Amino acid sequence: MLFSNVCIEGLGYVIPERVVTTAWFEEQLQTVYRALGTPNGYIERLTGIKEHRWWDDDTRVSDGSAMAGEKALAATGVDRSDIQCLINTSVCRDYIEPATASIVHNKLGLSQAAMSFDIVNACLGFLNGMLVVANMIELGQIDTGMVVAAEDPREGQLWTINHMRNSPPDREALRDNLASFTLGAGSVAMILRHKDVSRTGKRLLGGVAYSNTEHCELCVAQRMWMRTKSSALLSEGTKVVAQAWERFKGALGWTNAMVDRLFTHQVSEPQRQVALKALDLPSEIDYPTLQYLGNTASVAAPISMAIGLDNGFVKDGDRVVLFGVGSGINSIVLGIQW
C-alpha cells in the first residue's frame, strides 16, 4: 500500500486526569494474593506499568473521542465543515448500535454530508482507520478525513476484580486475567488531508499488513472480561511483528538505519523490549508511554506519537514508523515522512 497524495495534518489527544495505580489493583486482589502466596508488586514487575488512567464517572467513550477530535481541529486549524469522513476505531463503545462514530459526529457538529462509521479491529483499529481514510483520499473520494478512538476499561477491570474475589483462588486464572490490569483510558484523533489542501506536507507514504489468524483466540474479551495466554501471545505476536517489519522494509525500500522515530502499540515492557530486539531497532528511537498510561488498546500507538510530537521527539524531515499490533493476530506498519 503506497500513497502519493496523503498527508497527516495533525493530532489531538486527551489523557484523563484520574490516576489509578497498579498497586491499587493489587490492593483489591489481596485475598487472592494471600491465598496463592503471590507477592505484592507481581503485576508491575511483569508488565512495567505503574499507572493507568480512568475517565470521570460521567464521561462516555464518545465524549473521549469528541474531546480528542476538538483538540485535533484546534491544533490543525481545519474547519469542522471540511471533514468529509469520520471513523471511530475504539474497542470500547457507547452502545452496540448506533455506531459510536455517529455520536461523535453529532458531538463534533460535523456536516450532514460527512459520512461516519466504526472500524473495530482490537488494538489495531486506529491504523485500519488511517488506511481507509488514506485510500479514500488517494481515490479522490474525499480530501479531508478524521480518525478517532477512546478507550475506557474501568467496567471490565472492576468486574474482573469482583469475579476473582468471589471465585476459588486460582493461579492460572490470575495469569489469564492479568491483561485486564494492564489497560488504561485515553483518547486520540488524527486528521488526514490531500496534499493539495494540506498545510503541513507531512506525508503518509504507505505501509503493509500481515496476519496470522491461526492464533485468533490467544487473547479474547467481552465487555466485562478479558483472558489472555500471555506467553503464547508474546511468542506468536513477535513472529507476526518480525514478518510485518520485513515486508514493510521491502514495500517502502527502507532499511533499519533509515528509521528516525518509532511509535508502537504497547502491551507490557517485556513485550516492547522483545519486539525491539526482534526488529533489531534501538530502544532510543521508540517512545514508550506504557509506564504511566498502561495499555490504551487502539489509542496506544497514535497517542504515543501525539505526545512525542508535543514533546519535540520528532523533527522535520524525520522518517517515522507507526507500528500496530492487535489480537487476531494482526499487524500494520506505516511509514511517514515528517
Side-chain angles (χ1 to χ4, degrees), residues 36-86:
L36 297 175
T38 302
N40 288 329
Y42 169 74
I43 297 175
E44 187 173 326
R45 281 197 300 274
L46 284 181
T47 66
I49 300 169
K50 295 181 179 294
E51 296 179 351
H52 318 247
R53 305 296 171 120
W54 280 357
W55 297 106
D56 290 338
D57 292 348
D58 58 349
T59 302
R60 296 163 63 184
V61 170
S62 59
D63 292 323
S65 288
M67 288 188 285
E70 289 288 358
K71 286 182 176 287
L73 291 169
T76 60
V78 172
D79 192 279
R80 67 190 69 238
S81 64
D82 291 334
I83 303 296
Q84 296 161 298
C85 179
L86 171 76

Coordinates of all heavy atoms in Angstrom, one line a residue, residues 36-86:
L36 N -2.8 -17.5 47.3 CA -1.9 -18.1 46.3 C -0.5 -17.9 46.7 O 0.4 -18.4 46.0 CB -2.2 -17.5 44.9 CG -3.6 -17.8 44.3 CD1 -3.7 -17.0 43.0 CD2 -3.8 -19.3 44.2
G37 N -0.2 -17.1 47.7 CA 1.2 -16.7 48.1 C 1.9 -15.8 47.1 O 3.1 -15.9 46.9
T38 N 1.1 -15.0 46.4 CA 1.6 -14.1 45.4 C 2.1 -12.8 46.0 O 1.4 -12.2 46.8 CB 0.5 -13.7 44.4 OG1 -0.1 -14.9 43.8 CG2 1.0 -12.8 43.3
P39 N 3.4 -12.4 45.7 CA 3.9 -11.2 46.4 C 3.4 -10.0 45.8 O 3.0 -9.9 44.6 CB 5.4 -11.4 46.1 CG 5.5 -12.1 44.8 CD 4.3 -13.1 44.8
N40 N 3.3 -8.9 46.6 CA 2.9 -7.6 46.2 C 3.9 -7.1 45.1 O 5.1 -7.4 45.2 CB 2.8 -6.6 47.3 CG 1.6 -6.9 48.2 OD1 0.6 -7.3 47.7 ND2 1.8 -6.6 49.5
G41 N 3.4 -6.4 44.1 CA 4.2 -5.9 43.1 C 4.3 -6.9 41.9 O 5.0 -6.6 40.9
Y42 N 3.6 -8.0 42.0 CA 3.6 -9.0 40.9 C 3.3 -8.4 39.5 O 4.0 -8.7 38.6 CB 2.6 -10.1 41.3 CG 2.3 -11.2 40.3 CD1 3.2 -12.1 39.9 CD2 1.1 -11.2 39.6 CE1 2.9 -13.1 39.0 CE2 0.8 -12.1 38.7 CZ 1.7 -13.1 38.3 OH 1.4 -14.0 37.4
I43 N 2.2 -7.7 39.5 CA 1.7 -7.2 38.2 C 2.7 -6.2 37.6 O 3.0 -6.2 36.4 CB 0.3 -6.6 38.3 CG1 -0.7 -7.6 38.7 CG2 -0.1 -5.9 37.0 CD1 -2.1 -7.1 38.9
E44 N 3.1 -5.2 38.5 CA 4.1 -4.2 38.0 C 5.4 -4.8 37.5 O 6.0 -4.4 36.5 CB 4.3 -3.2 39.1 CG 5.2 -2.0 38.6 CD 5.3 -0.9 39.6 OE1 4.3 -0.7 40.3 OE2 6.3 -0.3 39.7
R45 N 5.9 -5.8 38.2 CA 7.1 -6.5 37.8 C 7.0 -7.1 36.5 O 7.9 -7.1 35.6 CB 7.6 -7.5 38.9 CG 8.3 -6.8 40.1 CD 9.1 -7.9 40.8 NE 8.2 -8.9 41.3 CZ 7.5 -8.9 42.5 NH1 7.6 -7.8 43.3 NH2 6.8 -9.9 42.9
L46 N 5.8 -7.8 36.2 CA 5.6 -8.5 34.9 C 5.4 -7.5 33.8 O 5.7 -7.9 32.6 CB 4.5 -9.5 35.1 CG 4.7 -10.7 35.8 CD1 3.5 -11.6 35.8 CD2 5.9 -11.5 35.2
T47 N 4.8 -6.4 34.0 CA 4.3 -5.5 32.9 C 5.1 -4.2 32.8 O 5.2 -3.7 31.7 CB 2.9 -5.1 33.1 OG1 2.7 -4.3 34.3 CG2 2.0 -6.4 33.3
G48 N 5.7 -3.8 33.9 CA 6.4 -2.5 33.8 C 5.5 -1.3 33.9 O 5.9 -0.1 33.7
I49 N 4.2 -1.5 34.2 CA 3.2 -0.5 34.3 C 3.0 0.0 35.7 O 2.7 -0.8 36.6 CB 1.9 -0.9 33.7 CG1 2.0 -1.4 32.2 CG2 0.8 0.1 33.8 CD1 0.8 -2.1 31.6
K50 N 3.2 1.3 35.9 CA 3.0 1.8 37.3 C 1.6 2.5 37.5 O 1.0 2.4 38.5 CB 4.1 2.9 37.6 CG 5.5 2.3 37.7 CD 6.5 3.4 38.0 CE 7.9 2.9 38.1 NZ 8.0 2.0 39.2
E51 N 1.1 3.1 36.4 CA -0.1 3.9 36.5 C -1.0 3.6 35.3 O -0.5 3.3 34.2 CB 0.2 5.4 36.6 CG 0.9 5.8 37.8 CD 1.2 7.3 37.8 OE1 0.9 8.0 36.7 OE2 1.6 7.8 38.8
H52 N -2.3 3.8 35.5 CA -3.3 3.8 34.4 C -4.2 5.0 34.6 O -4.2 5.7 35.7 CB -4.2 2.5 34.6 CG -3.4 1.3 34.9 ND1 -3.3 0.2 34.1 CD2 -2.8 0.9 36.0 CE1 -2.6 -0.7 34.6 NE2 -2.2 -0.3 35.8
R53 N -5.0 5.3 33.6 CA -6.0 6.4 33.7 C -7.4 5.9 33.6 O -7.6 4.9 32.8 CB -5.7 7.4 32.7 CG -4.3 8.0 32.6 CD -3.9 8.7 33.9 NE -2.5 9.0 34.0 CZ -2.0 10.3 34.1 NH1 -2.9 11.3 34.1 NH2 -0.7 10.5 34.2
W54 N -8.3 6.5 34.3 CA -9.7 6.3 34.1 C -10.4 7.6 33.8 O -10.0 8.7 34.3 CB -10.3 5.7 35.4 CG -10.1 4.3 35.6 CD1 -9.5 3.4 34.8 CD2 -10.6 3.5 36.8 NE1 -9.5 2.1 35.4 CE2 -10.2 2.2 36.6 CE3 -11.3 3.8 38.0 CZ2 -10.4 1.2 37.5 CZ3 -11.5 2.8 38.9 CH2 -11.1 1.5 38.7
W55 N -11.5 7.6 33.0 CA -12.3 8.7 32.8 C -13.1 9.0 34.1 O -13.4 8.2 34.9 CB -13.2 8.5 31.6 CG -12.5 8.3 30.3 CD1 -12.4 7.1 29.6 CD2 -11.9 9.3 29.5 NE1 -11.7 7.3 28.5 CE2 -11.4 8.6 28.3 CE3 -11.7 10.7 29.6 CZ2 -10.7 9.3 27.3 CZ3 -11.0 11.3 28.6 CH2 -10.5 10.7 27.5
D56 N -13.6 10.3 34.2 CA -14.5 10.6 35.2 C -15.8 9.8 35.0 O -16.1 9.3 33.9 CB -14.9 12.1 35.2 CG -13.7 13.0 35.6 OD1 -12.8 12.5 36.3 OD2 -13.7 14.2 35.2
D57 N -16.6 9.7 36.1 CA -17.7 8.8 36.1 C -18.7 9.1 35.0 O -19.4 8.2 34.5 CB -18.4 8.8 37.4 CG -17.6 8.2 38.6 OD1 -16.6 7.6 38.2 OD2 -17.9 8.4 39.7
D58 N -18.9 10.3 34.6 CA -19.9 10.7 33.6 C -19.4 10.9 32.2 O -20.1 11.4 31.3 CB -20.6 12.0 34.1 CG -19.6 13.2 34.2 OD1 -18.4 12.9 34.2 OD2 -20.0 14.3 34.4
T59 N -18.2 10.4 32.0 CA -17.6 10.5 30.7 C -17.8 9.2 29.9 O -17.4 8.1 30.3 CB -16.0 10.8 30.7 OG1 -15.8 12.0 31.5 CG2 -15.4 11.0 29.4
R60 N -18.3 9.4 28.7 CA -18.6 8.2 27.8 C -17.4 8.1 26.8 O -16.7 9.0 26.6 CB -19.9 8.3 27.1 CG -21.1 8.3 28.1 CD -22.4 8.9 27.5 NE -22.8 8.1 26.3 CZ -23.9 8.4 25.6 NH1 -24.6 9.5 25.9 NH2 -24.2 7.7 24.6
V61 N -17.4 6.9 26.2 CA -16.4 6.7 25.1 C -16.5 7.8 24.0 O -15.5 8.4 23.6 CB -16.5 5.3 24.5 CG1 -15.6 5.2 23.3 CG2 -16.1 4.3 25.6
S62 N -17.7 8.1 23.6 CA -17.9 9.1 22.6 C -17.4 10.5 23.0 O -16.9 11.3 22.2 CB -19.4 9.2 22.2 OG -20.2 9.5 23.3
D63 N -17.5 10.8 24.3 CA -17.0 12.0 24.9 C -15.5 12.1 24.7 O -15.0 13.2 24.3 CB -17.4 12.2 26.4 CG -18.9 12.4 26.6 OD1 -19.5 13.0 25.8 OD2 -19.3 11.8 27.6
G64 N -14.8 11.0 25.1 CA -13.4 11.0 24.9 C -12.9 11.2 23.5 O -12.0 12.0 23.2
S65 N -13.6 10.5 22.5 CA -13.3 10.7 21.1 C -13.6 12.1 20.6 O -12.8 12.7 19.9 CB -14.1 9.7 20.3 OG -13.6 8.4 20.5
A66 N -14.7 12.6 21.1 CA -15.0 14.0 20.6 C -14.1 15.0 21.2 O -13.7 16.0 20.5 CB -16.5 14.3 21.1
M67 N -13.6 14.9 22.4 CA -12.7 15.8 23.0 C -11.4 15.8 22.2 O -10.7 16.8 22.0 CB -12.4 15.5 24.5 CG -13.6 15.8 25.4 SD -13.2 15.7 27.2 CE -13.3 13.9 27.4
A68 N -10.9 14.6 21.9 CA -9.7 14.5 21.1 C -9.9 15.1 19.7 O -9.0 15.7 19.2 CB -9.3 13.0 21.0
G69 N -11.1 14.8 19.1 CA -11.4 15.4 17.8 C -11.3 17.0 17.9 O -10.8 17.6 16.9
E70 N -11.9 17.5 18.9 CA -11.8 19.0 19.1 C -10.4 19.5 19.2 O -10.0 20.5 18.6 CB -12.6 19.4 20.3 CG -14.1 19.3 20.2 CD -14.8 20.3 19.3 OE1 -14.1 21.2 18.7 OE2 -16.0 20.2 19.1
K71 N -9.6 18.8 19.9 CA -8.2 19.2 20.0 C -7.5 19.1 18.7 O -6.6 19.9 18.3 CB -7.5 18.3 21.1 CG -7.9 18.7 22.5 CD -7.1 17.8 23.5 CE -7.4 18.3 24.9 NZ -6.8 19.5 25.3
A72 N -7.8 18.1 17.9 CA -7.2 17.9 16.6 C -7.6 19.1 15.6 O -6.8 19.6 14.9 CB -7.5 16.6 15.9
L73 N -8.9 19.4 15.7 CA -9.3 20.6 14.9 C -8.6 21.9 15.3 O -8.2 22.7 14.4 CB -10.8 20.7 15.0 CG -11.7 19.6 14.4 CD1 -13.2 19.8 14.9 CD2 -11.6 19.7 12.9
A74 N -8.5 22.1 16.6 CA -7.9 23.3 17.1 C -6.4 23.3 16.7 O -5.8 24.4 16.3 CB -8.0 23.4 18.6
A75 N -5.7 22.2 16.8 CA -4.3 22.1 16.6 C -4.0 22.3 15.1 O -2.9 22.9 14.7 CB -3.7 20.8 17.0
T76 N -4.8 21.9 14.2 CA -4.6 21.9 12.8 C -5.2 23.2 12.1 O -4.7 23.5 11.0 CB -5.1 20.7 12.1 OG1 -6.6 20.7 12.3 CG2 -4.5 19.4 12.6
G77 N -6.2 23.8 12.7 CA -6.8 24.9 12.1 C -7.8 24.5 11.0 O -8.3 25.3 10.3
V78 N -8.1 23.2 10.9 CA -9.0 22.7 9.9 C -10.4 23.0 10.4 O -10.8 22.8 11.6 CB -8.9 21.1 9.7 CG1 -10.0 20.6 8.9 CG2 -7.5 20.8 9.1
D79 N -11.3 23.5 9.5 CA -12.6 23.8 9.9 C -13.4 22.5 9.9 O -13.3 21.7 9.1 CB -13.3 24.8 8.9 CG -14.6 25.3 9.3 OD1 -15.6 24.6 9.2 OD2 -14.6 26.5 9.9
R80 N -14.3 22.4 10.9 CA -15.1 21.1 11.1 C -15.9 20.9 9.8 O -16.2 19.7 9.5 CB -15.9 21.1 12.3 CG -17.0 22.1 12.4 CD -17.6 22.2 13.8 NE -16.6 22.8 14.8 CZ -16.1 22.2 15.9 NH1 -16.5 21.0 16.2 NH2 -15.3 22.9 16.6
S81 N -16.3 21.9 9.1 CA -17.1 21.7 7.9 C -16.3 21.0 6.8 O -16.9 20.6 5.8 CB -17.7 23.1 7.4 OG -16.6 23.9 7.0
D82 N -15.0 21.0 6.9 CA -14.2 20.4 5.9 C -14.0 18.9 6.1 O -13.5 18.2 5.2 CB -12.8 21.0 5.9 CG -12.8 22.5 5.4 OD1 -13.7 22.8 4.6 OD2 -11.9 23.2 5.8
I83 N -14.4 18.4 7.2 CA -14.3 16.9 7.5 C -15.4 16.2 6.7 O -16.6 16.4 6.9 CB -14.4 16.6 9.0 CG1 -13.4 17.4 9.8 CG2 -14.3 15.1 9.2 CD1 -12.0 17.0 9.5
Q84 N -14.9 15.3 5.8 CA -15.9 14.6 4.9 C -16.1 13.1 5.3 O -17.0 12.5 4.8 CB -15.3 14.6 3.5 CG -15.3 16.1 2.9 CD -14.4 16.1 1.7 OE1 -13.2 15.9 1.8 NE2 -14.9 16.5 0.6
C85 N -15.3 12.7 6.3 CA -15.4 11.3 6.8 C -14.9 11.2 8.2 O -13.8 11.7 8.4 CB -14.7 10.3 5.9 SG -14.8 8.6 6.4
L86 N -15.6 10.6 9.1 CA -15.2 10.4 10.4 C -15.3 8.9 10.7 O -16.3 8.3 10.5 CB -16.1 11.1 11.4 CG -15.9 10.8 12.9 CD1 -14.6 11.5 13.4 CD2 -17.1 11.2 13.8

